[in-house]
Amino acid sequence: MAIAELVAQLNNRVSRHLGASRRALFDEIERAALKPLPAEPYVFAEWKECRVALDYHVEIEKHYYSVPHQLLREKVWARITARTIEVFHCGKRVAAHVRSSSDRKHTTVREHMPSSHRRYADWTPERLRRSAAEIGRRTSALIATILRERTHPEQGFRACVGILRLAKTYGRERLEAACGRALEIGARSYSSVNSILKNNLDRQQPATPTDGPAIAHDNIRGPTYFH
């Protein structure tokens, strides 16, 4: 309260240099030029230049946000606030997202996806796992591994759907065997499973390592030592 009184006195004091008080000059010159306050409160925003990746997403604070896929490799500007992410290209806003705090996750708008990816938008990890489990244990394990290891969800969905559809061509039994072979050799793609089936590698029994005789030595204590 005391500060407000002192501020009023300061504004009403006549300045020797100007020959008028601050209050009088404000009323005479500035008041008429004032504009209404903005309808929305000011929101602090940061700007970041990004390059659109091959999966049509930009990385902001360890999260990935989609933009129209036509902007692959283009430079864009991201406007970052506490709640929103807006992406601009050549001064035009091309994407807007609710900001997410999930690290290394993706926020993807369906309309941003190329048509080849939209075909898989209705698939979910649960649906893929359920379909794989209907084929067999090894198919289920391979699909689960792909979903866990792939960086981008749509890429994993595409590989999984392709693998599951091989059952129509080769049958469930052969696909189950091919997925088992893929797991053994560390293959994680549709092309690998398809190659196994195409070359009949699923019908070949993998070589089983032969166990040699146990090594006998005075320094090896054996299981009875701990009893």
Side-chain angles (χ1 to χ4, degrees):
M1 189 66 181
I3 294 177
E5 293 177 357
L6 292 174
V7 170
Q9 294 177 14
L10 179 64
N11 288 335
N12 291 325
R13 183 184 304 167
V14 177
S15 170
R16 295 180 181 179
H17 177 67
L18 299 174
S21 67
R22 292 180 175 86
R23 170 65 65 181
L25 292 173
F26 171 78
D27 292 336
E28 179 183 352
I29 300 173
E30 298 180 359
R31 184 179 292 278
L34 291 179
K35 296 181 179 180
L37 292 174
E40 300 292 334
Y42 172 77
V43 177
F44 175 77
E46 296 182 74
W47 290 85
K48 177 185 177 182
E49 187 179 28
C50 309
R51 185 177 292 277
V52 181
L54 292 176
D55 62 358
Y56 53 89
H57 287 69
V58 294
E59 179 182 357
I60 299 170
E61 298 293 333
K62 298 182 180 180
H63 191 85
Y64 305 98
Y65 300 90
S66 68
V67 301
H69 68 91
Q70 295 88 346
L71 297 177
L72 295 184
R73 299 183 180 277
E74 291 288 329
K75 287 185 178 180
V76 295
W77 281 92
R79 182 177 183 268
I80 308 165
T81 71
R83 295 184 178 182
T84 61
I85 301 292
E86 296 174 283
V87 184
F88 294 81
H89 180 253
C90 296
K92 179 182 178 181
R93 191 175 76 172
V94 295
H97 301 277
V98 176
R99 186 171 179 176
S100 174
S101 59
S102 300
D103 285 356
R104 304 305 175 188
K105 302 293 184 180
H106 293 73
T107 297
T108 306
V109 175
R110 182 186 179 95
E111 288 71 21
H112 293 166
M113 303 166 66
S115 58
S116 60
H117 282 190
R118 289 184 197 174
R119 291 181 296 174
Y120 309 102
D122 295 330
W123 287 83
T124 63
E126 292 74 21
R127 181 182 174 186
L128 289 168
R129 292 190 183 99
R130 186 168 58 250
S131 298
E134 293 174 357
I135 296 174
R137 176 178 55 83
R138 289 173 288 185
T139 304
S140 179
L142 179 60
I143 294 301
T145 301
I146 292 174
L147 291 174
R148 183 176 63 251
E149 293 182 353
R150 291 300 176 92
T151 302
H152 192 271
E154 282 74 25
Q155 294 174 352
F157 288 178
R158 181 169 52 191
C160 291
V161 171
I163 290 171
L164 294 175
R165 286 178 177 170
L166 289 172
K168 296 181 179 179
T169 304
Y170 297 97
R172 292 189 174 189
E173 185 176 347
R174 288 197 62 190
L175 178 57
E176 174 72 357
C179 288
R181 185 65 176 263
L183 288 169
E184 291 173 2
I185 64 176
R188 301 291 186 264
S189 66
Y190 161 80
S191 60
S192 296
V193 178
N194 186 45
S195 178
I196 291 172
L197 290 164
K198 187 176 180 180
N199 294 286
N200 295 316
L201 298 178
D202 58 297
R203 292 174 171 170
Q204 299 178 10
Q205 294 296 328
T208 55
T210 57
D211 294 330
I215 300 175
H217 194 278
D218 293 340
N219 291 336
I220 297 178
R221 296 170 178 172
T224 59
Y225 177 85
F226 299 95
H227 295 282

